[in-house]
Amino acid sequence: MSNSFIIGQYVPGDSFIHRLDPRTKIAIIFTFVIVVFLANSVASYGLLTAFSIGSALLTRIKLSYIAKGLTPVWFLIVFTFILHLIVTKDGEVLFQIASYPIYSGAIIQGAAISLRFFLLILVTSLLTLTTTPIEITDAIETLLGPLKKIKFPVHELALMMSISLRFIPTLMQETEKISKAQASRGVDFKTGPIRDRVQAVVPLLVPLFVSAFKRAEELAMAMEARGYQGGEGRTKLRELKIEGRDLFVISLFLLIIIGLVMTRA
Amino acid sequence: MQKSSKLLKLITFSLLGTVSFLVMFLNFPLPFLPAFLKIDFSDVPALIAALIFSPVAGVIVELIKNILHLLLGGGEPVGVTANLIAGILFVVPVALIYHRFKGVKSIVSGLVASTIIMTIAMGVLNYYFLLPAYSLMFGIEEYNTAKFAIVTGGVIPFNIVKGIIVGLLFIPLFTKLRPWMERKQASFS
């Protein structure tokens, strides 16, 4: 489980991307997810690819590490490409695989869509790779701040998100420990008919729930003991601040969007 | 005292959200359906939250799970929205029926009702909204043109089977956890 799943693990570092304000990163990624759908020509895809790969390089995290984090989505990317090969019938027939014709349009479209999907996932994963959960939730809290006016529980949501993110590694270890403990008692999670595999999940979930509740109680007590009393009047150790590099990155990104609109076919 | 139980609740929802997110990776494709329709048990923690606390708690857990999925790079927006809606439609009816009638029987009838509601709603949503959105996102026309076949041949059987499998897991789990859940419920109220 842990090998196939390193996505979202923060990698400590001091790169340009690490030092950007988390609000800048979130705003850019949010916009990126939308503008990635604007690309429809070689030049516009090139621009987006250059931006994404450039940002990935700037994080100074090993590319192989980033690629490993994308493991769960490789399947989807390949699947999309193959589906395109099968269903798209544009352009001319290039060659045949077992008497099934493959069209040139299918390869182009398949490649374009797979690339779009890859860029989307790559850029979103950069956020969690270079930003601590605390920074992310701080940023979400300030970005959603205006919603407080309509009584939306912004602080509570941010608190919940930061706790959830923080406990992913802890609870993952716990899950692994429990499943090993149960496997040593003869529970088989991997093989057998579906009914048996479904039943095998019960002895995994019961201790997991009990321990999640126990941890929640401990954490609540620890927070109260330190005087936590909700979002009102809470001060922060690290204040978020927009600096020169944030403005630089934001203007660069705006230029890229303009470039995208201009290079569209 | 009021305040501390509120904080404890918030933390409990968060941890159940994390559990739900992790449990999502314990999935397996069904032998007779396309591989992207996968059964997972991530609705179970949300069900637990909804039964111990309230339907809203279940919705919060589903929300946390899907935000995590989106943030951590494993999900794309359409799939995540679909999962969120399906999860809420699955959890809320069970919780409403359980809180009204209590007991294992109410869970069974709740699960049946949920499966029916989820299946119908997801069929409609896929037909009018999700499949066209997928078609746009992945540039595959067939998701849109063949949507009737996909809904009747994929989405509907998938949701029925998912409801049954999650139900088959949840009923033994619930009978085992019931005394513990009732204790928790008492300690929170």
Side-chain angles (χ1 to χ4, degrees), chain A residues 177-189 200 202-204 207:
Chain A
K177 216 160 71 186
I178 296 169
S179 60
K180 275 186 189 146
Q182 301 293 23
S184 76
R185 293 174 175 85
V187 176
D188 187 359
F189 297 106
V202 176
L204 177 71

Side-chain angles (χ1 to χ4, degrees), chain A residues 5 7 37 83-84 109 113 116 121 128 156 160-161 164 167-168 198 202 204 206 212-213 217 224 228, chain B residues 4 6-7 10-12 14-15 18 21 25-26 64 67 72-73 137-140 143 169 173 180 184:
Chain A
F5 180 63
I7 38 168
F37 291 99
L83 200 60
H84 261 286
Q109 272 195 43
I113 302 295
R116 170 196 291 177
I121 303 297
T128 40
E156 282 76 6
M160 286 197 290
M161 285 318 299
S164 312
F167 273 91
I168 288 176
V198 171
V202 176
L204 177 71
V206 171
F213 273 82
E217 277 157 33
E224 309 243 284
Y228 174 83
Chain B
S4 74
K6 188 192 161 203
L7 176 65
L10 287 185
I11 298 175
T12 309
S14 325
L15 293 195
T18 310
F21 172 69
F25 290 86
L26 281 179
I64 293 176
I67 296 177
L72 301 187
M137 186 158 86
F138 292 109
I140 296 175
Y143 279 153
L169 169 75
L173 186 76
W180 174 81
K184 286 288 148 203

Side-chain angles (χ1 to χ4, degrees), chain A residues 243-264:
Chain A
E243 296 190 43
R245 55 174 158 310
D246 296 299
L247 297 176
F248 169 73
V249 169
I250 291 170
S251 18
L252 184 72
F253 190 63
L254 287 178
L255 282 179
I256 287 179
I257 296 178
I258 295 169
L260 253 184
V261 174
M262 279 165 46
T263 53
R264 282 193 71 185

Side-chain angles (χ1 to χ4, degrees), chain A residues 39-50 256 259-260 262-265:
Chain A
N40 61 358
S41 63
V42 177
S44 52
Y45 270 110
L47 199 59
L48 283 179
T49 314
I256 287 179
L260 253 184
M262 279 165 46
T263 53
R264 282 193 71 185

Side-chain angles (χ1 to χ4, degrees), chain A residues 44-59:
Chain A
S44 52
Y45 270 110
L47 199 59
L48 283 179
T49 314
F51 171 76
S52 319
I53 304 285
S55 321
L57 288 173
L58 271 179
T59 60

Side-chain angles (χ1 to χ4, degrees), chain A residues 73-116:
Chain A
V73 283
W74 283 127
F75 164 77
L76 207 57
I77 293 172
V78 174
F79 175 80
T80 309
F81 185 70
I82 294 172
L83 200 60
H84 261 286
L85 289 188
I86 297 169
V87 300
T88 309
K89 294 189 168 51
D90 289 344
E92 49 206 272
V93 179
L94 284 184
F95 51 87
Q96 298 197 328
I97 299 175
S99 82
Y100 194 91
I102 300 293
Y103 293 83
S104 61
I107 294 188
I108 296 171
Q109 272 195 43
I113 302 295
S114 305
L115 178 66
R116 170 196 291 177

Side-chain angles (χ1 to χ4, degrees), chain A residues 213-214 217, chain B residues 52-53 179-189:
Chain A
F213 273 82
K214 217 193 250 159
E217 277 157 33
Chain B
I52 294 183
F53 304 101
W180 174 81
M181 279 171 65
E182 275 161 6
R183 267 206 315 282
K184 286 288 148 203
Q185 220 164 11
S187 75
F188 275 103
S189 52

